Amino acid sequence: MFLKNKKQINKRFLSYSLAINEAVYQMMSKNKSVFVIGQGVKSPWYVGNTCRDLLKKFGPKMVMDTPISENVTTGVGIGAGMVNMKPIVIFPRMDFMMYALDPIINEAANWHYMFGGKANADVVIRAIINRGGEQGAQHSQALQSLFTHIPGLKVVMPATAYDAKGLMISAIRDPNPVIYIDDRWLYDVKDHVPQKIYSVPIGKGAIRKIGKDITIVAISYMVKEALIAAAELRKQKIDAEIIDLRSAWPIDIPLIIKSVKKTGRLLITEAAWSSGSISSEINSQIARQSFKYLKAPIERLCLPDCPAPVSKILEQAYYLTSKDVIKKVKNILNYV
């Protein structure tokens, strides 16, 4: 449920998942060095419809479905990125990226620095968060903060279909490694997506709703929940400003500071564990740089610091919704 402006009326609308598909399709058509490699890239069960028709159009040499060997697959992709190819390495579940940390962190992230900028690992690492549905602790993790900790890696997390396409194109165009994280809970979200090739700048957030009472910084699918909450809060005469972070690293701190100067209150929300999170980093930087503008302590709304449950009933308590956002906002506004 993203807000539409007048310019969006009568425009083409596309789902989040098909926006990713269109970005990859167009960039592969335009640039013969772009290829896709990963487990299950030809199976909707693994990657939804984000790779639809790629194999049919470009063939198995450019759309490589690999065995279950994340470390080797990633090493092949990163190696190709070092010799003038442009791989998109796909992990159908972010959980299993743990097997590939060595080539991502020790090699890809450091390459540009180790060679004084004269060599680079030109690769997109696409990780899918796929949770809910009683999938349990090993198939539900959102590990973005781990990668934001590593110098040399950019991390993007689109929340709209428009950004899903634009950030994928930016990631492909970037000469250094970009971690592109999409959430399957957003795959059916639709909004205006131009058919032409366009990019969304990495490291720049976006204001999704203007407000004056509190700033809510949201990441990935929590943007959708924050907007639902803002609509409900509006009925109660609480005017929230919603910032979609879009890039988990680098973080658009200047945009957040500008908003906090106006509202004096800040809530940060992401569907990941609270300790050591991106929310923690934002909290720290805003407290240090904008303390004098704050009317209340900064609050975070994240997942509990425990593994995801299997039980459907426990999942309902574990995952965040707009109702949790509303409750947290009211607590902040009641601070004296």
Side-chain angles (χ1 to χ4, degrees), residues 298-320:
I298 299 169
E299 290 283 356
R300 292 181 289 149
L301 177 62
C302 303
L303 296 181
D305 283 331
C306 65
V310 173
S311 158
K312 187 174 182 178
I313 293 174
L314 291 178
E315 280 188 336
Q316 290 172 356
Y318 182 79
Y319 290 116
L320 305 171

Side-chain angles (χ1 to χ4, degrees), residues 240-296:
E241 180 148 301
I242 308 297
I243 293 178
D244 175 357
L245 198 62
R246 300 201 291 188
S247 290
W249 195 264
I251 300 171
D252 193 351
I253 293 296
L255 180 68
I256 301 171
I257 290 176
K258 184 178 180 181
S259 178
V260 169
K261 282 182 178 177
K262 177 174 62 174
T263 65
R265 303 176 181 90
L266 175 60
L267 170 65
I268 312 148
T269 182
E270 64 173 316
W273 297 312
S274 178
S275 298
S277 62
I278 297 165
S279 301
S280 303
E281 178 63 24
I282 295 172
N283 189 333
S284 171
Q285 293 204 37
I286 298 303
R288 180 169 57 84
Q289 299 183 52
S290 301
F291 184 78
K292 63 182 178 182
Y293 302 112
L294 292 171
K295 301 173 184 173

Side-chain angles (χ1 to χ4, degrees), residues 12-299:
R12 186 185 71 141
F13 279 67
L14 201 64
S15 71
Y16 183 102
S17 56
L18 287 178
I20 295 173
N21 173 252
E22 185 169 88
V24 175
Y25 191 98
Q26 290 179 338
M27 294 305 284
M28 289 184 72
S29 300
K30 185 179 177 66
N31 184 344
K32 301 303 180 187
S33 70
V34 180
F35 71 95
V36 170
I37 181 170
Q39 182 187 333
V41 295
K42 61 182 180 182
S43 166
W45 190 79
Y46 282 82
V47 294
N49 54 11
T50 63
C51 290
R52 191 175 72 177
D53 293 337
L54 296 183
L55 182 62
K56 181 180 177 182
K57 169 69 176 177
F58 301 103
K61 290 184 178 180
M62 302 305 286
V63 182
M64 288 181 262
D65 191 10
T66 64
I68 301 173
S69 182
E70 288 83 358
N71 183 278
V72 172
T73 299
T74 307
V76 169
I78 291 172
M82 293 173 177
V83 290
N84 299 321
M85 295 297 288
K86 186 72 200 194
I88 303 171
V89 182
I90 298 180
F91 292 90
R93 288 188 183 277
M94 192 177 196
D95 312 73
F96 302 129
M97 284 179 73
M98 297 302 99
Y99 294 107
L101 290 187
D102 176 57
I104 294 173
I105 294 175
N106 283 332
E107 307 301 338
N110 289 323
W111 213 249
H112 183 75
Y113 299 91
M114 289 166 55
F115 290 94
K118 295 182 179 179
N120 56 300
D122 196 352
V123 60
V124 178
I125 308 286
R126 182 179 158 219
I128 302 173
I129 298 173
N130 187 2
R131 54 189 162 190
E134 302 173 311
Q135 296 188 79
Q138 296 166 309
H139 298 77
S140 307
Q141 297 168 103
L143 303 168
Q144 57 267 21
S145 64
L146 173 64
F147 299 98
T148 63
H149 181 67
I150 309 300
L153 296 179
K154 302 182 183 75
V155 183
V156 300
M157 299 185 71
T160 69
Y162 181 93
D163 286 351
K165 178 176 177 178
L167 282 170
M168 174 56 78
I169 290 170
S170 291
I172 293 171
R173 287 175 171 171
D174 196 292
N176 285 297
V178 177
I179 310 292
Y180 181 103
I181 302 173
D182 52 276
D183 192 317
R184 285 193 74 147
W185 283 3
L186 290 168
Y187 277 16
D188 292 330
V189 168
K190 291 184 178 180
D191 58 88
H192 170 50
V193 179
Q195 195 161 15
K196 66 180 181 181
I197 293 176
Y198 64 89
S199 60
V200 170
I202 295 174
K204 296 293 182 184
I207 296 176
R208 299 300 183 196
K209 178 188 170 300
I210 296 172
K212 60 179 176 56
D213 295 327
I214 185 170
T215 300
I216 302 175
V217 175
I219 304 170
S220 189
Y221 95 83
M222 285 310 295
V223 175
K224 176 183 174 184
E225 296 300 319
L227 285 167
I228 295 171
E232 182 60 33
L233 288 165
R234 186 64 177 166
K235 297 175 186 175
Q236 303 174 38
K237 301 187 184 307
I238 298 171
D239 193 10
E241 180 148 301
I242 308 297
I243 293 178
D244 175 357
L245 198 62
R246 300 201 291 188
S247 290
W249 195 264
I251 300 171
D252 193 351
I253 293 296
L255 180 68
I256 301 171
I257 290 176
K258 184 178 180 181
S259 178
V260 169
K261 282 182 178 177
K262 177 174 62 174
T263 65
R265 303 176 181 90
L266 175 60
L267 170 65
I268 312 148
T269 182
E270 64 173 316
W273 297 312
S274 178
S275 298
S277 62
I278 297 165
S279 301
S280 303
E281 178 63 24
I282 295 172
N283 189 333
S284 171
Q285 293 204 37
I286 298 303
R288 180 169 57 84
Q289 299 183 52
S290 301
F291 184 78
K292 63 182 178 182
Y293 302 112
L294 292 171
K295 301 173 184 173
I298 299 169
E299 290 283 356

